[in-house]
Amino acid sequence: MIMTDKQLAFIRKKTDFVPDVAIVLGSGLGALADEIETECIIDYGEIPDFPVSTAPGHAGRFVFGKIGNKKVAVMQGRVHLYEGYTPQQVVNPIRLLKKAGANILFLTNAAGGINSDFHIGDLMVLSDHISSFVESPLVGKNDDALGVRFPDMSQVYSKRLNKIIFETAEKENTKVKSGVYLQFRGPNFETPAEIRMAKMMGADAVGMSTAIEAQAAKHCGFEVCAVSVISNLACGISKTPITSEEVNETADRIAPVFKNLIKKAIGNF
Ligand code: HPA
């Protein structure tokens, strides 16, 4: 049996909840889960063969329930390549959420700002990404039931969803920027030379997640959007060394604004 089918069967024993929107909450951003009228919580550790998050600020559980009029499946925490998981393991939850019925995927993360117009605490809607520094999760035998062998990536992030996020942000008086996210493998932060390279390549922000999840999501037919919290300025742009404490502190500080934007935007999806 395909692993995600076994995992879905496990979830279906606990709940028959079918989400419309799947949401992945990044480092320190788990507080959105407080906004959910909860139906069911499942710890990743309970699900057969499911990758379990070890990163700080990642609770490691699915929260199924409603945010306003939308049925959501929220991942409070994700797994990363730097934890030693393969690209296929990292995107396992994305494929499972598609099988569980979700059609929209909202990814979030904390990222280092490269664009000189960005400030700590800004929100960036992803217009595109660069994933070329990490292996594609689509490497290996293609599951034709999931998607095509050579999926198009000309518009990974949905223009429709991004427009809704921008319109919602304007109504809520929340400033949002737009930009290209580059995924590195981590777990070390980058060197100044790597950030100069990323900037030359057209990246506005860097992080250690999201792009491969978006790739797998596009492959299996999700409508995708993503928002980064600029938790720090990237190495060499920042005058001080980067710490995970700084990343989580900014995420905590921005959480109320971020939570409100996501909640309201989802209502308009
Ligand atoms: N680099 C990589 N990943 C990150 C950063 C960064 O500066 N900030 C938050 N995640």
Side-chain angles (χ1 to χ4, degrees), residues 228-264:
S228 296
V229 172
I230 303 301
S231 56
N232 58 282
L233 298 181
C235 182
I237 295 169
S238 169
K239 303 277 176 280
T240 52
I242 302 162
T243 63
S244 68
E245 287 76 17
E246 179 187 8
V247 171
N248 285 324
E249 265 166 35
T250 309
D252 281 349
R253 185 164 58 77
I254 300 306
V257 176
F258 177 80
K259 234 163 59 170
N260 182 59
L261 176 66
I262 295 195
K263 186 175 131 185
K264 299 276 167 57

Side-chain angles (χ1 to χ4, degrees), residues 189-201:
F189 292 112
E190 300 72 27
T191 63
E194 284 165 340
I195 294 300
R196 285 196 298 274
M197 171 188 72
K199 186 169 185 157
M200 276 194 303
M201 290 180 159

Side-chain angles (χ1 to χ4, degrees), residues 37-211:
E37 236 177 90
T38 305
E39 289 242 345
C40 179
I41 294 178
I42 303 176
D43 286 334
Y44 300 156
E46 295 178 54
I47 304 171
D49 300 321
F50 201 78
V52 176
S53 12
T54 62
H58 289 252
R61 59 187 197 167
F62 283 114
V63 183
F64 297 101
K66 282 185 100 176
I67 296 182
N69 60 350
K70 285 288 179 332
K71 292 170 84 183
V72 298
V74 174
M75 287 186 68
Q76 232 180 343
R78 55 154 60 84
V79 294
H80 305 82
L81 293 172
Y82 66 72
E83 293 172 80
Y85 290 112
T86 64
Q88 291 76 15
Q89 283 175 309
V90 170
V91 305
N92 174 174
I94 306 299
R95 291 171 170 160
L96 177 59
L97 287 165
K98 187 73 173 61
K99 284 212 169 141
N103 287 310
I104 293 177
L105 176 67
F106 199 139
L107 296 162
T108 70
N109 61 57
I114 298 179
N115 186 316
S116 49
D117 289 339
F118 287 4
H119 299 101
I120 294 175
D122 279 352
L123 300 179
M124 181 186 91
V125 174
L126 273 65
S127 57
D128 203 349
H129 71 222
I130 298 170
S131 68
S132 321
F133 294 95
V134 290
E135 191 184 17
S136 169
L138 309 179
V139 167
K141 189 174 175 327
N142 187 56
D143 179 354
D144 294 333
L146 216 55
V148 297
R149 171 75 289 190
F150 300 108
D152 174 66
M153 293 285 153
S154 55
Q155 194 70 59
V156 176
Y157 302 93
S158 160
K159 282 189 174 165
R160 183 184 82 85
L161 298 180
N162 282 1
K163 185 162 176 272
I164 293 171
I165 298 171
F166 277 107
E167 286 167 356
T168 308
E170 198 168 330
K171 276 200 204 110
E172 297 298 312
N173 255 327
T174 301
K175 266 205 185 143
V176 281
K177 298 185 169 166
S178 168
V180 173
Y181 176 95
L182 185 150
Q183 178 173 0
F184 282 124
R185 187 159 191 251
N188 52 282
F189 292 112
E190 300 72 27
T191 63
E194 284 165 340
I195 294 300
R196 285 196 298 274
M197 171 188 72
K199 186 169 185 157
M200 276 194 303
M201 290 180 159
D204 297 293
V206 277
M208 303 176 195
S209 67
T210 303

